[in-house]
Amino acid sequence: ARGHQHAVIRAGMLAAVAYFVALGFVSGPAQVYPLQILNAAAVLFRRGALLAAAASSISYGLLIDLSYYGFLEPFAPLLLGGGDLTSREALYRVSGHVVGFLLTGVLASYLADLLRRAGLELAAKSIDFRQLQALTKNIVENIGSGLLTIDGDGRITSFNRSAEEITGRSFAAVFGAPLQNVFPAIAGRIRPDA
């Protein structure tokens, strides 16, 4: 599964480069790269975000270099400051975008790491909750007194062994039944707002 995730991210990065080259958008819109970085962070967490940021930086820098040296046509020659690039413009575009990609990668990796840690903590708490539920059930089942619980609608939700022995009724027979129908005397003693 991990190899498939890496392959999808590499394919997305190559698709972005191919898109720019095919349409001549070499030095123009670079909005696809941060999306690739965020995608990598969501799937591969910290490592994926940082690798995608580095790959975006290299890819964008390579496209600008190829445009600068005349191997590729620049984006929108008459609009948006496109056209032939001076060395200073090429340097500014590459450095500005690289800083943006790396900052996006660092932030996305931080957020992805927080998400991963929160997931691990939730899984640990879920295990603790299940253990607590098992302990509670064991205590309730083995207590010497009859015990039953009801939900907000007054239906029986639990009925321990002692309650079965005292009443002569099984849990299966009373589960989900209204307390009023099964034990009217007890139901009369319970306050509705309690």
Side-chain angles (χ1 to χ4, degrees):
R2 209 57 151 171
H4 177 65
Q5 293 167 342
H6 285 280
V8 167
I9 290 170
R10 280 194 300 269
M13 193 65 67
L14 290 173
V17 171
Y19 172 77
F20 290 144
V21 171
L23 297 178
F25 292 175
V26 174
S27 59
Q31 295 87 355
V32 174
Y33 291 112
L35 295 176
Q36 291 298 326
I37 296 167
L38 295 174
N39 181 32
V43 176
L44 300 172
F45 300 109
R46 179 177 297 251
R47 182 178 177 175
L50 296 176
L51 287 173
S56 295
S57 299
I58 292 167
S59 169
Y60 188 76
L62 180 63
L63 287 174
I64 293 295
D65 283 348
L66 291 173
S67 176
Y68 176 74
Y69 289 111
F71 292 105
L72 295 174
E73 289 295 317
F75 167 69
L78 302 176
L79 301 171
L80 304 173
D84 292 332
L85 295 172
T86 66
S87 59
R88 175 175 270 173
E89 288 172 333
L91 179 64
Y92 284 152
R93 285 188 186 186
V94 170
S95 59
H97 281 85
V98 166
V99 168
F101 297 154
L102 294 178
L103 287 175
T104 301
V106 168
L107 179 61
S109 71
Y110 172 73
L111 293 174
D113 197 47
L114 284 179
L115 179 64
R116 184 187 57 79
R117 277 193 253 151
L120 293 174
E121 288 175 13
L122 182 61
K125 298 241 187 260
S126 176
I127 291 169
D128 292 345
F129 180 72
R130 284 192 299 255
Q131 289 172 343
L132 184 60
Q133 268 186 321
L135 176 64
T136 303
K137 183 177 180 181
N138 191 21
I139 291 170
V140 167
E141 284 299 317
N142 293 307
I143 197 168
S145 302
L147 181 69
L148 69 85
T149 60
I150 58 172
D151 62 14
D153 294 329
R155 297 187 177 280
I156 298 173
T157 57
S158 70
F159 201 70
N160 71 353
R161 266 184 260 152
S162 294
E164 287 178 337
E165 292 171 8
I166 293 169
T167 63
R169 297 176 187 209
S170 70
F171 173 66
V174 298
F175 177 72
L179 183 63
Q180 181 66 39
N181 295 354
V182 180
F183 302 110
I186 296 172
R189 295 177 157 181
I190 297 176
R191 291 191 339 240
D193 61 341

